Short mmCIF file of all heavy atoms in Angstrom, two decimals:
data_model
loop_
_atom_site.label_atom_id
_atom_site.label_comp_id
_atom_site.label_asym_id
_atom_site.label_seq_id
_atom_site.Cartn_x
_atom_site.Cartn_y
_atom_site.Cartn_z
N VAL U 26 111.82 94.82 107.30
CA VAL U 26 112.47 94.59 108.60
C VAL U 26 112.60 93.08 108.88
O VAL U 26 111.57 92.42 109.17
CB VAL U 26 111.69 95.24 109.70
CG1 VAL U 26 112.34 95.03 111.04
CG2 VAL U 26 111.56 96.80 109.43
N VAL U 39 108.31 86.14 118.40
CA VAL U 39 107.59 86.56 117.16
C VAL U 39 106.65 87.64 117.64
O VAL U 39 105.78 87.47 118.47
CB VAL U 39 106.82 85.39 116.56
CG1 VAL U 39 106.09 85.89 115.24
CG2 VAL U 39 107.80 84.26 116.19
N GLY U 40 106.76 88.85 117.02
CA GLY U 40 105.89 89.93 117.30
C GLY U 40 104.96 90.17 116.11
O GLY U 40 104.87 89.28 115.25
N GLU U 41 104.25 91.23 116.13
CA GLU U 41 103.28 91.48 115.13
C GLU U 41 103.78 92.06 113.80
O GLU U 41 103.68 91.45 112.69
CB GLU U 41 102.29 92.44 115.70
CG GLU U 41 101.18 92.92 114.86
CD GLU U 41 100.24 93.87 115.66
OE1 GLU U 41 99.96 93.70 116.84
OE2 GLU U 41 99.81 94.93 115.00
N GLY U 42 104.50 93.20 113.90
CA GLY U 42 105.04 93.73 112.71
C GLY U 42 105.76 94.99 113.13
O GLY U 42 105.57 95.47 114.27
N PRO U 43 106.59 95.54 112.19
CA PRO U 43 107.32 96.70 112.55
C PRO U 43 106.45 97.94 112.85
O PRO U 43 105.48 98.19 112.19
CB PRO U 43 108.24 96.91 111.31
CG PRO U 43 108.05 95.74 110.44
CD PRO U 43 106.83 95.04 110.84
N GLY U 44 106.91 98.76 113.79
CA GLY U 44 106.35 100.07 114.00
C GLY U 44 107.23 101.11 113.42
O GLY U 44 108.19 100.71 112.62
N GLU U 47 111.00 100.73 114.12
CA GLU U 47 111.59 99.50 113.48
C GLU U 47 111.78 99.75 112.07
O GLU U 47 112.74 99.29 111.38
CB GLU U 47 110.68 98.32 113.77
CG GLU U 47 110.63 97.79 115.21
CD GLU U 47 109.78 98.66 116.19
OE1 GLU U 47 108.93 99.47 115.72
OE2 GLU U 47 110.11 98.64 117.42
N GLU U 52 115.22 97.03 112.26
CA GLU U 52 115.36 96.05 113.21
C GLU U 52 114.10 95.85 114.03
O GLU U 52 113.60 96.84 114.51
CB GLU U 52 116.57 96.36 114.08
CG GLU U 52 117.05 95.18 114.87
CD GLU U 52 118.31 95.47 115.71
OE1 GLU U 52 119.21 96.17 115.20
OE2 GLU U 52 118.43 94.95 116.90
N PRO U 53 113.72 94.60 114.33
CA PRO U 53 112.48 94.37 115.16
C PRO U 53 112.68 94.91 116.63
O PRO U 53 113.75 94.78 117.23
CB PRO U 53 112.20 92.91 115.13
CG PRO U 53 113.16 92.33 114.28
CD PRO U 53 114.27 93.27 114.00
N PHE U 54 111.62 95.37 117.23
CA PHE U 54 111.60 95.73 118.62
C PHE U 54 112.75 96.55 119.03
O PHE U 54 113.59 96.23 119.90
CB PHE U 54 111.51 94.42 119.53
CG PHE U 54 110.18 93.84 119.47
CD1 PHE U 54 109.84 92.76 118.65
CD2 PHE U 54 109.13 94.25 120.32
CE1 PHE U 54 108.61 92.22 118.62
CE2 PHE U 54 107.91 93.68 120.34
CZ PHE U 54 107.61 92.58 119.45
N VAL U 55 112.86 97.78 118.44
CA VAL U 55 113.86 98.71 118.91
C VAL U 55 113.25 99.99 119.50
O VAL U 55 113.91 100.81 120.01
CB VAL U 55 114.73 99.24 117.70
CG1 VAL U 55 115.73 98.13 117.24
CG2 VAL U 55 113.94 99.73 116.53
N GLY U 56 111.90 100.03 119.55
CA GLY U 56 111.25 101.17 120.17
C GLY U 56 111.05 100.85 121.65
O GLY U 56 111.76 100.18 122.31
N SER U 58 108.65 99.12 123.27
CA SER U 58 108.47 97.66 123.57
C SER U 58 109.78 96.89 123.50
O SER U 58 109.96 95.97 124.26
CB SER U 58 107.47 97.05 122.69
OG SER U 58 107.05 97.75 121.66
N GLY U 59 110.71 97.39 122.63
CA GLY U 59 112.02 96.76 122.57
C GLY U 59 112.84 96.88 123.84
O GLY U 59 113.49 95.97 124.27
N ILE U 78 114.72 87.40 117.15
CA ILE U 78 113.48 88.24 117.26
C ILE U 78 113.00 88.51 115.90
O ILE U 78 113.78 89.00 115.02
CB ILE U 78 113.79 89.53 117.99
CG1 ILE U 78 114.50 89.29 119.36
CG2 ILE U 78 112.43 90.28 118.20
CD1 ILE U 78 114.83 90.53 120.13
N THR U 79 111.71 88.19 115.59
CA THR U 79 111.19 88.45 114.26
C THR U 79 109.75 88.86 114.41
O THR U 79 109.22 89.05 115.46
CB THR U 79 111.36 87.21 113.32
OG1 THR U 79 111.19 87.61 112.02
CG2 THR U 79 110.43 86.06 113.72
N ASN U 80 109.06 89.14 113.28
CA ASN U 80 107.73 89.54 113.29
C ASN U 80 106.79 88.75 112.29
O ASN U 80 107.43 88.09 111.32
CB ASN U 80 107.60 91.04 112.91
CG ASN U 80 107.88 91.99 114.06
OD1 ASN U 80 107.25 91.83 115.12
ND2 ASN U 80 108.75 92.92 113.85
N LEU U 119 104.57 87.25 121.02
CA LEU U 119 104.47 88.50 121.77
C LEU U 119 103.17 89.24 121.42
O LEU U 119 103.16 90.00 120.53
CB LEU U 119 105.68 89.36 121.51
CG LEU U 119 107.02 88.81 121.93
CD1 LEU U 119 108.19 89.66 121.47
CD2 LEU U 119 107.10 88.73 123.48
N PRO U 123 100.35 87.77 116.89
CA PRO U 123 101.20 86.59 116.57
C PRO U 123 100.63 85.27 117.23
O PRO U 123 100.69 84.21 116.67
CB PRO U 123 102.51 86.92 117.14
CG PRO U 123 102.46 88.12 117.91
CD PRO U 123 101.19 88.76 117.57
N HIS U 158 102.25 91.19 125.02
CA HIS U 158 103.12 92.11 124.29
C HIS U 158 103.85 92.93 125.30
O HIS U 158 103.30 93.36 126.26
CB HIS U 158 102.26 92.99 123.35
CG HIS U 158 103.13 93.70 122.28
ND1 HIS U 158 103.83 94.75 122.56
CD2 HIS U 158 103.31 93.42 121.04
CE1 HIS U 158 104.49 95.17 121.51
NE2 HIS U 158 104.16 94.26 120.52
N PRO U 159 105.19 93.13 125.07
CA PRO U 159 105.92 93.91 126.03
C PRO U 159 105.28 95.31 126.28
O PRO U 159 105.35 95.77 127.45
CB PRO U 159 107.26 94.09 125.26
CG PRO U 159 107.43 93.06 124.28
CD PRO U 159 105.98 92.63 123.90
N ALA U 160 104.64 95.90 125.35
CA ALA U 160 104.07 97.24 125.50
C ALA U 160 102.87 97.19 126.47
O ALA U 160 102.60 98.20 127.09
CB ALA U 160 103.63 97.80 124.15
N1 LIG T 201 105.84 95.54 118.17
C1 LIG T 201 105.88 94.45 117.37
O1 LIG T 201 105.00 93.54 117.42
N2 LIG T 201 107.03 94.29 116.64
C2 LIG T 201 108.02 95.11 116.62
O2 LIG T 201 108.96 94.83 115.88
C3 LIG T 201 107.88 96.32 117.39
C4 LIG T 201 106.84 96.46 118.18
#
Side-chain angles (χ1 to χ4, degrees):
V26 179
V39 182
E41 175 179 321
E47 289 76 22
E52 193 175 323
F54 286 95
V55 288
S58 7
I78 308 176
T79 195
N80 278 308
L119 297 171
H158 195 281

